[in-house]
Amino acid sequence: MLSMLKNHTGKITRKEIWGDDYFLLSLEAPDISRESQPGQFVMVRTSTDPYPLLRRPFSIHGRNGSHIDIFFQKTGIGTSLLSQKQKGDPLEILGPLGNGFLLEDGTESKKVSLIGGGRGIAPLYFLAQELNKNQSKVRIFYGGRSSKDIPLLSKFKKENIETLCSTEDGSTGFQGLVTELFEQEMNSEPPSLICACGPDGMLKKVSQISEKNHIPAELSLESIMGCGFGACWGCVKKIKKENIKQWQKICEEGPVFWAHEIVWDE
Ligand SMILES: Cc1cc2nc3c(=O)[nH]c(=O)nc-3n(C[C@H](O)[C@H](O)[C@H](O)COP(=O)(O)OP(=O)(O)OC[C@H]3O[C@@H](n4cnc5c(N)ncnc54)[C@H](O)[C@@H]3O)c2cc1C
Ligand code: FES
């Protein structure tokens, strides 16, 4: 069954350490690289031992030829084991999974604001690269608690991606939440589309801004995932479609949903 579900063993070809807690791994995975869309994810087996048994979900951060990158924050046992992997190690990965951002939905030449909180920045780099290819004007809003939580800022600056940043402690950029920075800046250059990824509190606020200002928003949701491909129902969220509320699986129907479809308060 796993082979039908695109199970691959990819070799780690590059490892980068970003600050204390963030890591980038490049994996040789030609099939995943060819098929993947921004916003899709892979399920990664972090150990060959029986524990931890469950794979962990990671967004596809970028792709380069036959390689894909994942960018992750060390938060627990799985990501800690993953952070110890070295160049040349094999890694079992399943993917690409999920729906991804709706790039085909007329994003050409649009002004698109990408909002990323902490590790939520991971899929937005791939998205920015693809949007740039279709001539969209991209601005990234990148926020974290402190400068330690926005490690990719230097990478974006180096690649001339317009990036505005915020930190809650004011150690870099605007002092406050990334949504506050976005609200302050959006009037100078109103976007026609918002794409966001980050913690639920941030995404809920982005939903409110999107509704108030009539700007469509695509939000990538997180959930703890058992399988990643629709078998365990461990990742459900209440979604409203044509006024009917129903539980949907984030791994299959998402992780990206239109902001107006997400039911936050039940
Ligand atoms: C579709 C999707 C894409 C993701 N992409 C990325 C990415 O690109 N980079 C990245 O750093 N992280 C990403 N995550 C989150 C990542 O999967 C979790 O951080 C990881 O599974 C934690 O595993 P662990 O074994 O280290 O933590 P555990 O030891 O399992 O847990 C440590 C702590 O993190 C919490 N936690 C575990 N999984 C999640 C989760 N999915 N969401 C919220 N809290 C969680 C646990 O409740 C616990 O408090 C993504 C999650 C999803 C659903
Ligand atoms: S993680 Fe198993 S159904 Fe979504």
Side-chain angles (χ1 to χ4, degrees):
M1 172 157 184
L2 281 185
S3 62
M4 283 164 59
L5 283 162
K6 311 169 197 169
N7 191 37
H8 308 261
T9 301
K11 196 162 43 152
I12 298 173
T13 54
R14 186 164 51 107
K15 176 180 180 180
E16 293 175 6
I17 302 172
W18 289 80
D20 297 341
D21 291 331
Y22 290 87
F23 299 83
L24 184 148
L25 296 179
S26 282
L27 311 165
E28 196 172 13
D31 293 344
I32 297 181
S33 176
R34 197 173 40 250
E35 291 173 31
S36 58
Q37 296 295 324
Q40 288 191 297
F41 64 98
V42 288
M43 293 293 286
V44 178
R45 190 81 204 273
T46 59
S47 168
T48 46
D49 293 335
Y51 180 77
L53 180 65
L54 298 175
R55 293 159 197 261
R56 302 296 197 253
F58 298 99
S59 305
I60 297 168
H61 172 64
R63 68 170 161 194
N64 191 351
S66 57
H67 295 73
I68 59 159
D69 294 343
I70 57 171
F71 177 78
F72 63 93
Q73 181 185 21
K74 189 167 70 173
T75 50
I77 176 75
T79 45
S80 183
L81 289 167
L82 204 54
S83 73
Q84 290 159 29
K85 303 276 179 195
Q86 300 301 334
K87 189 174 164 185
D89 287 349
L91 212 55
E92 257 193 61
I93 42 180
L94 198 64
L97 298 165
N99 61 356
F101 292 96
L102 283 173
L103 282 182
E104 70 276 18
D105 199 27
T107 45
E108 295 82 3
S109 309
K110 279 193 169 182
K111 288 182 181 163
V112 188
S113 288
L114 312 186
I115 308 177
R119 68 188 185 208
I121 199 68
L124 302 185
Y125 178 66
F126 186 14
L127 179 60
Q129 285 182 319
E130 294 298 306
L131 286 169
N132 278 333
K133 280 187 198 159
N134 67 14
Q135 312 301 320
S136 298
K137 168 100 177 59
V138 178
R139 282 218 289 186
I140 296 189
F141 293 82
Y142 185 13
R145 288 207 180 100
S146 77
S147 48
K148 282 181 165 184
D149 301 307
I150 50 171
L152 290 182
L153 185 61
S154 54
K155 172 170 167 168
F156 295 159
K157 291 217 160 134
K158 205 165 147 198
E159 296 189 20
N160 284 327
I161 302 172
E162 188 183 349
T163 309
L164 291 81
C165 70
S166 68
T167 49
E168 287 172 44
D169 67 1
S171 46
T172 305
F174 172 87
Q175 179 163 17
L177 299 173
V178 68
T179 46
E180 293 168 347
L181 171 64
F182 175 66
E183 276 191 299
Q184 179 184 285
E185 294 293 326
M186 63 176 281
N187 292 330
S188 66
E189 202 175 307
S192 41
L193 178 69
I194 301 168
C195 297
C197 184
D200 271 6
M202 184 202 101
L203 294 182
K204 188 176 171 185
K205 183 65 190 170
V206 173
S207 281
Q208 291 162 353
I209 297 170
S210 140
E211 190 181 350
K212 187 171 147 206
N213 297 280
H214 309 287
I215 304 168
E218 294 185 58
L219 309 183
S220 181
L221 298 180
E222 264 203 18
S223 161
I224 293 178
M225 290 189 173
C227 66
F229 49 82
C232 72
W233 286 84
C235 63
V236 292
K237 180 88 185 161
K238 208 163 245 186
I239 299 294
K240 187 172 64 183
K241 293 228 166 151
E242 290 161 11
N243 264 337
I244 298 168
K245 291 179 189 173
Q246 53 192 290
W247 293 106
Q248 292 211 337
K249 293 176 247 179
I250 292 179
C251 66
E252 257 191 344
E253 276 94 8
V256 181
F257 294 90
W258 288 107
H260 65 267
E261 293 178 340
I262 300 167
V263 182
W264 290 106
D265 296 322
E266 284 182 26

